[in-house]
Amino acid sequence: RGIRVGYTPDVLTDATAELSVALLLSACRRLPEAAQQVRSGGWTTWKPLWMCGYGLSDSTVGIIGLGRIGQAVARRLKPFGVRRFLYTGSGPKPESAAEFGAEFVPLARLAEESDFVVVTCALTPATQGMCNKDFFARMKKTSVFVNTSRGAVVNQEDLYEALAQGQIAAAGLDVTTPEPLPTDHPLLSLQNCVILPHIGSATYATRSTMAVLAARNLLAGLRGEPMPHELAL
């Protein structure tokens, strides 16, 4: 119908990468669970293995989708002492991977060898439901799964079973299907699953930049000029 479409690219990278790391640390070090123990009186005397989780030092991190956000996540995780990075996607990205010494591997191998899996890929027909029963069965029992891409990349029923049965250690999700997630959803009953309300871009600076770009697109469109960021239809 001749309707022009503007969008706001490249403004979410840093905020989403930061949130991905925060979610990973929250899940692997059991931060929400530990905070609840303080509130509920569960914090008593010192116990050797109480509230123990998993650390990043000397670990293997697998990134599904080494795009802008995936690279930004790896850049932030590297100083934690990660031993190696694996990645998968539509094809190798040697120039992007060189900064982290990341190795391009098939999805199955990434699942099998990673201590932490971070999903930052786009949702496409090829990626929809790719993190499923088979994927989680290949992961280590001590592995932590994080998704900040799109909820539909994950089969949530399979994820619930993997977490409930101890196939994987923990998960952190900033995206779900549907959104908002119903408050009676089974995933919300699990202590080893941290779920956030899709706040990857929720910093004041990022939302302000998004608003300014949207306004510039709108004004240019009203004037009949090329938008700064226009979707080619």
Side-chain angles (χ1 to χ4, degrees):
R1 301 188 178 209
I3 299 171
R4 298 170 62 188
V5 179
Y7 66 116
T8 59
D10 305 335
V11 298
L12 310 177
T13 300
D14 288 337
T16 304
E18 290 169 2
L19 193 280
S20 300
V21 173
L23 194 50
L24 187 154
L25 291 171
S26 293
C28 75
R29 295 300 301 271
R30 303 169 66 181
L31 300 189
E33 187 181 352
Q36 182 56 37
Q37 289 294 310
V38 176
R39 293 176 179 273
S40 65
W43 182 16
T44 57
T45 57
W46 183 82
K47 296 179 282 291
L49 298 180
W50 187 64
M51 286 293 108
C52 282
Y54 300 95
L56 281 157
S57 181
D58 203 35
S59 68
T60 296
V61 173
I63 298 177
I64 300 178
L66 196 67
R68 288 189 300 270
I69 294 173
Q71 292 170 49
V73 169
R75 199 168 290 122
R76 285 159 173 77
L77 289 179
K78 191 174 181 181
F80 281 89
V82 173
R83 179 167 52 89
R84 65 174 181 149
F85 287 96
L86 306 176
Y87 74 101
T88 192
S90 56
K93 295 184 174 182
E95 293 182 2
S96 301
E99 179 181 348
F100 320 105
E103 181 183 357
F104 181 76
V105 296
L107 182 66
R109 184 179 160 196
L110 183 142
E112 292 165 357
E113 298 184 14
S114 297
D115 299 300
F116 301 91
V117 173
V118 184
V119 184
T120 57
C121 63
L123 175 61
T124 68
T127 63
Q128 185 165 359
M130 67 156 45
C131 297
N132 54 21
K133 183 176 182 179
D134 177 69
F135 180 87
F136 296 123
R138 292 176 182 273
M139 289 178 65
K140 303 175 185 179
K141 290 186 177 181
T142 55
S143 293
V144 175
F145 176 83
V146 172
N147 183 20
T148 55
S149 61
R150 287 292 180 268
V153 173
V154 178
N155 182 310
Q156 291 180 166
E157 289 73 21
D158 292 348
L159 175 60
Y160 171 81
E161 292 298 326
L163 289 166
Q165 296 176 13
Q167 283 187 319
I168 65 175
L173 310 174
D174 187 42
V175 289
T176 61
T177 304
E179 294 182 356
L181 194 66
T183 56
D184 61 350
H185 194 281
L187 282 172
L188 293 171
S189 69
L190 300 173
Q191 288 189 320
N192 58 345
C193 188
V194 181
I195 301 179
L196 302 178
H198 203 153
I199 56 171
S201 67
T203 69
Y204 289 111
T206 300
R207 294 286 172 86
S208 177
T209 301
M210 290 171 66
V212 170
L213 286 178
R216 287 177 176 165
N217 285 339
L218 178 61
L219 292 171
L222 290 171
R223 290 192 294 260
E225 301 169 357
M227 295 181 185
H229 300 283
E230 185 167 0
L231 186 64
L233 297 173

